[in-house]
mmCIF file of all heavy atoms in Angstrom:
data_model
loop_
_atom_site.group_PDB
_atom_site.id
_atom_site.type_symbol
_atom_site.label_atom_id
_atom_site.label_comp_id
_atom_site.label_asym_id
_atom_site.label_seq_id
_atom_site.Cartn_x
_atom_site.Cartn_y
_atom_site.Cartn_z
ATOM 1 N N PRO B 983 102.943 82.319 14.803
ATOM 2 C CA PRO B 983 101.644 82.607 14.404
ATOM 3 C C PRO B 983 101.529 84.142 14.093
ATOM 4 O O PRO B 983 100.731 84.579 13.281
ATOM 5 C CB PRO B 983 100.741 82.270 15.555
ATOM 6 C CG PRO B 983 101.401 81.244 16.239
ATOM 7 C CD PRO B 983 102.838 81.542 16.081
ATOM 8 N N ILE B 987 105.578 86.972 7.127
ATOM 9 C CA ILE B 987 106.331 86.541 6.081
ATOM 10 C C ILE B 987 106.303 84.937 6.006
ATOM 11 O O ILE B 987 107.214 84.328 6.389
ATOM 12 C CB ILE B 987 107.782 87.029 5.886
ATOM 13 C CG1 ILE B 987 107.787 88.489 6.239
ATOM 14 C CG2 ILE B 987 108.378 86.641 4.724
ATOM 15 C CD1 ILE B 987 109.218 88.971 6.424
ATOM 16 N N LEU B 1042 120.724 96.124 0.461
ATOM 17 C CA LEU B 1042 119.512 95.419 0.279
ATOM 18 C C LEU B 1042 119.533 94.104 1.056
ATOM 19 O O LEU B 1042 118.477 93.728 1.712
ATOM 20 C CB LEU B 1042 119.367 94.930 -1.341
ATOM 21 C CG LEU B 1042 118.104 94.809 -1.916
ATOM 22 C CD1 LEU B 1042 117.134 95.971 -1.700
ATOM 23 C CD2 LEU B 1042 118.203 94.412 -3.436
ATOM 24 N N THR B 1065 101.584 84.682 24.815
ATOM 25 C CA THR B 1065 100.928 83.387 25.154
ATOM 26 C C THR B 1065 101.277 82.957 26.696
ATOM 27 O O THR B 1065 100.333 82.675 27.384
ATOM 28 C CB THR B 1065 101.261 82.239 24.228
ATOM 29 O OG1 THR B 1065 102.617 82.264 24.133
ATOM 30 C CG2 THR B 1065 100.711 82.426 22.928
ATOM 31 N N SER B 1078 109.178 80.381 28.113
ATOM 32 C CA SER B 1078 107.720 80.635 28.346
ATOM 33 C C SER B 1078 107.540 80.577 29.880
ATOM 34 O O SER B 1078 106.852 81.363 30.348
ATOM 35 C CB SER B 1078 106.881 79.441 27.720
ATOM 36 O OG SER B 1078 107.058 79.559 26.352
ATOM 37 N N GLN B 1087 104.037 86.633 39.024
ATOM 38 C CA GLN B 1087 104.618 87.005 40.412
ATOM 39 C C GLN B 1087 105.306 88.413 40.446
ATOM 40 O O GLN B 1087 106.198 88.671 41.202
ATOM 41 C CB GLN B 1087 105.626 85.998 40.964
ATOM 42 C CG GLN B 1087 104.871 84.484 41.012
ATOM 43 C CD GLN B 1087 103.913 84.523 41.925
ATOM 44 O OE1 GLN B 1087 103.716 85.269 42.887
ATOM 45 N NE2 GLN B 1087 102.978 83.553 41.719
ATOM 46 N N ALA B 1102 120.947 98.728 48.682
ATOM 47 C CA ALA B 1102 122.220 99.203 48.154
ATOM 48 C C ALA B 1102 122.478 100.695 48.183
ATOM 49 O O ALA B 1102 123.524 101.163 48.533
ATOM 50 C CB ALA B 1102 122.372 98.652 46.608
ATOM 51 N N ASN B 1129 151.691 115.317 72.711
ATOM 52 C CA ASN B 1129 151.831 114.921 74.017
ATOM 53 C C ASN B 1129 151.384 113.451 74.262
ATOM 54 O O ASN B 1129 150.724 112.845 73.297
ATOM 55 C CB ASN B 1129 151.123 115.905 74.978
ATOM 56 C CG ASN B 1129 149.613 115.925 74.876
ATOM 57 O OD1 ASN B 1129 149.040 114.851 74.741
ATOM 58 N ND2 ASN B 1129 149.031 116.994 74.840
ATOM 59 N N PHE B 1142 141.956 100.616 66.268
ATOM 60 C CA PHE B 1142 140.565 100.257 66.216
ATOM 61 C C PHE B 1142 140.160 100.177 64.802
ATOM 62 O O PHE B 1142 139.580 99.129 64.295
ATOM 63 C CB PHE B 1142 139.674 101.248 66.883
ATOM 64 C CG PHE B 1142 138.281 101.102 66.640
ATOM 65 C CD1 PHE B 1142 137.392 100.147 67.229
ATOM 66 C CD2 PHE B 1142 137.622 102.052 65.730
ATOM 67 C CE1 PHE B 1142 136.173 100.039 66.818
ATOM 68 C CE2 PHE B 1142 136.219 101.887 65.439
ATOM 69 C CZ PHE B 1142 135.602 100.815 65.968
ATOM 70 N N PHE B 1148 140.090 94.784 59.396
ATOM 71 C CA PHE B 1148 140.489 93.329 59.386
ATOM 72 C C PHE B 1148 139.346 92.415 59.581
ATOM 73 O O PHE B 1148 139.203 91.401 58.764
ATOM 74 C CB PHE B 1148 141.536 93.249 60.418
ATOM 75 C CG PHE B 1148 141.970 91.789 60.801
ATOM 76 C CD1 PHE B 1148 142.675 91.081 59.825
ATOM 77 C CD2 PHE B 1148 141.598 91.226 61.894
ATOM 78 C CE1 PHE B 1148 143.069 89.769 60.019
ATOM 79 C CE2 PHE B 1148 141.987 89.906 62.295
ATOM 80 C CZ PHE B 1148 142.687 89.157 61.303
ATOM 81 N N TRP B 1229 144.845 118.820 60.416
ATOM 82 C CA TRP B 1229 143.369 118.625 60.292
ATOM 83 C C TRP B 1229 142.912 119.720 59.243
ATOM 84 O O TRP B 1229 142.124 119.268 58.279
ATOM 85 C CB TRP B 1229 142.676 118.850 61.632
ATOM 86 C CG TRP B 1229 141.151 118.856 61.518
ATOM 87 C CD1 TRP B 1229 140.378 119.906 61.859
ATOM 88 C CD2 TRP B 1229 140.304 117.975 60.829
ATOM 89 N NE1 TRP B 1229 138.965 119.713 61.581
ATOM 90 C CE2 TRP B 1229 139.038 118.346 60.933
ATOM 91 C CE3 TRP B 1229 140.499 116.632 60.218
ATOM 92 C CZ2 TRP B 1229 137.866 117.694 60.433
ATOM 93 C CZ3 TRP B 1229 139.388 116.041 59.770
ATOM 94 C CH2 TRP B 1229 138.048 116.637 59.867
ATOM 95 N N LYS B 1257 124.620 93.482 44.171
ATOM 96 C CA LYS B 1257 124.674 92.077 43.957
ATOM 97 C C LYS B 1257 124.829 91.426 45.357
ATOM 98 O O LYS B 1257 124.201 90.328 45.667
ATOM 99 C CB LYS B 1257 126.018 91.748 43.186
ATOM 100 C CG LYS B 1257 125.899 92.235 41.755
ATOM 101 C CD LYS B 1257 127.045 91.850 40.929
ATOM 102 C CE LYS B 1257 128.298 92.545 41.440
ATOM 103 N NZ LYS B 1257 129.463 91.921 40.794
ATOM 104 N N GLY B 1266 116.267 86.730 56.088
ATOM 105 C CA GLY B 1266 114.887 86.836 55.713
ATOM 106 C C GLY B 1266 114.472 88.320 55.206
ATOM 107 O O GLY B 1266 113.299 88.658 55.122
ATOM 108 N N VAL B 1267 115.505 89.092 54.835
ATOM 109 C CA VAL B 1267 115.254 90.445 54.254
ATOM 110 C C VAL B 1267 114.515 90.170 52.898
ATOM 111 O O VAL B 1267 115.040 89.416 52.130
ATOM 112 C CB VAL B 1267 116.521 91.189 54.116
ATOM 113 C CG1 VAL B 1267 116.200 92.623 53.433
ATOM 114 C CG2 VAL B 1267 117.276 91.362 55.400
ATOM 115 N N ALA B 1278 110.430 80.481 43.322
ATOM 116 C CA ALA B 1278 110.901 79.103 43.135
ATOM 117 C C ALA B 1278 110.233 78.135 43.914
ATOM 118 O O ALA B 1278 109.959 77.037 43.438
ATOM 119 C CB ALA B 1278 112.468 79.025 43.201
ATOM 120 N N ILE B 1280 107.220 78.266 45.117
ATOM 121 C CA ILE B 1280 105.765 78.211 44.592
ATOM 122 C C ILE B 1280 105.678 77.142 43.461
ATOM 123 O O ILE B 1280 104.775 76.382 43.480
ATOM 124 C CB ILE B 1280 105.125 79.588 44.178
ATOM 125 C CG1 ILE B 1280 105.090 80.440 45.444
ATOM 126 C CG2 ILE B 1280 103.839 79.369 43.627
ATOM 127 C CD1 ILE B 1280 104.773 81.941 45.243
ATOM 128 N N ASN B 1318 142.502 115.952 34.234
ATOM 129 C CA ASN B 1318 143.078 114.888 33.379
ATOM 130 C C ASN B 1318 144.569 114.818 33.582
ATOM 131 O O ASN B 1318 145.269 114.406 32.733
ATOM 132 C CB ASN B 1318 142.851 115.394 31.941
ATOM 133 C CG ASN B 1318 141.439 115.388 31.561
ATOM 134 O OD1 ASN B 1318 140.781 114.384 31.885
ATOM 135 N ND2 ASN B 1318 141.030 116.318 30.737
ATOM 136 N N LEU B 1330 135.273 100.072 33.693
ATOM 137 C CA LEU B 1330 135.678 98.636 33.564
ATOM 138 C C LEU B 1330 134.453 97.742 33.458
ATOM 139 O O LEU B 1330 134.644 96.503 33.569
ATOM 140 C CB LEU B 1330 136.513 98.322 34.849
ATOM 141 C CG LEU B 1330 137.839 99.040 34.899
ATOM 142 C CD1 LEU B 1330 138.629 98.521 36.099
ATOM 143 C CD2 LEU B 1330 138.647 98.758 33.534
#
Side-chain angles (χ1 to χ4, degrees):
Chain B
I987 312 174
L1042 210 57
T1065 46
S1078 300
Q1087 303 300 335
N1129 66 41
F1142 168 75
F1148 167 71
W1229 170 237
K1257 295 184 293 174
V1267 181
I1280 295 172
N1318 291 323
L1330 293 182

